[in-house]
Amino acid sequence: MDTAKIYTSCQERMLALADDLSAEQLAAPVPALPAWTVRQTYAHLAGLCADVPAERVTPPADDAVTARQVAEREHLDIAALCAAWRADTLALLEVFATRTRARYSLPAIDVWHHENDVRGALGMPAQTGHADELAAFVLGATARAWSPELPGVRVAAADTGQEWAFGERADLEWSATAFELVRAVTGRRSAAQMRAMDWSGDPSGVLYRLSAFPLPETDLRV
């Protein structure tokens, strides 16, 4: 996964988007992140970009850390948030270049998801670029951590040809686009949305074990 490229491409789009957001849009709740507005999502991203190089945070950041990041920047308007985020980027890119542990790629996954979270909140279409790279990273990690006590799942990205084996058996088969698979295993698809994907059987036994985060209670449009 080209962590730096994914991060900077998502960041550049989000910074450009911020220039045109109205006060109403900045105050809009983000359905994928029920506690945050669009502006607060930018505050978290600026905070993570500052915290990781300063070694205040080793990815992943927990809820207490992300809440602190948002609270510390509550007084900043969107222009100041974007300026701070931009200023701290070179230091984060240096982390990407020098730290080889997989956890240091997580900020790129975070910004990719939050770009889509914000786009969903604003009624914009998904940004699906790099979904294949994120799928390889995230679903590969899920496959490695899959419990042998669970039913086995063969997973296929219908648009990229990628495949993963969750467990040694093939009790179930699950197919969706790489984008949908990544969103699903990272807490961005409801149980109903996940059930509606292409399954060879009943996924009830694994549905709530597929995602690293709690499933949203309502459907997300992006």
Side-chain angles (χ1 to χ4, degrees), residues 31-54:
L33 309 166
W36 291 348
T37 64
V38 169
R39 193 203 66 82
Q40 289 172 323
T41 305
Y42 277 84
H44 156 63
L45 290 168
L48 189 64
C49 187
D51 280 351
V52 173

Side-chain angles (χ1 to χ4, degrees), residues 40-195:
Q40 289 172 323
T41 305
Y42 277 84
H44 156 63
L45 290 168
L48 189 64
C49 187
D51 280 351
V52 173
E55 298 185 350
R56 288 188 292 269
V57 172
T58 299
D62 62 23
D63 290 345
V65 168
T66 59
R68 170 186 59 76
Q69 292 165 346
V70 172
E72 287 176 346
R73 292 161 178 80
E74 196 62 36
H75 64 290
L76 298 177
D77 64 16
I78 190 64
L81 286 172
C82 290
W85 187 13
R86 186 181 288 109
D88 289 322
T89 303
L90 285 178
L92 183 60
L93 294 179
E94 181 65 17
V95 171
F96 293 157
T98 57
R99 303 292 182 93
T100 58
R101 293 181 66 189
R103 65 174 57 244
Y104 287 100
S105 294
L106 295 178
I109 298 173
D110 191 60
V111 71
W112 186 90
H113 276 297
H114 289 331
E115 179 185 6
N116 279 296
D117 296 340
V118 165
R119 292 179 70 85
L122 298 176
M124 298 176 177
Q127 201 302 113
T128 62
H130 302 291
D132 56 338
E133 293 180 72
L134 269 78
F137 186 97
V138 176
L139 277 88
T142 304
R144 291 189 294 274
W146 197 252
S147 170
E149 298 179 359
L150 292 170
V153 184
R154 293 296 177 268
V155 186
D159 55 335
T160 65
Q162 294 166 286
E163 295 184 354
W164 300 268
F166 293 2
E168 295 183 0
R169 305 186 309 274
D171 302 304
L172 297 165
E173 295 181 358
W174 177 29
S175 178
T177 65
F179 177 83
E180 287 295 322
L181 291 172
V182 173
R183 295 294 275 173
V185 300
T186 322
R188 265 71 176 192
R189 291 292 177 263
S190 69
Q193 286 177 304
M194 292 179 71
R195 287 182 185 278

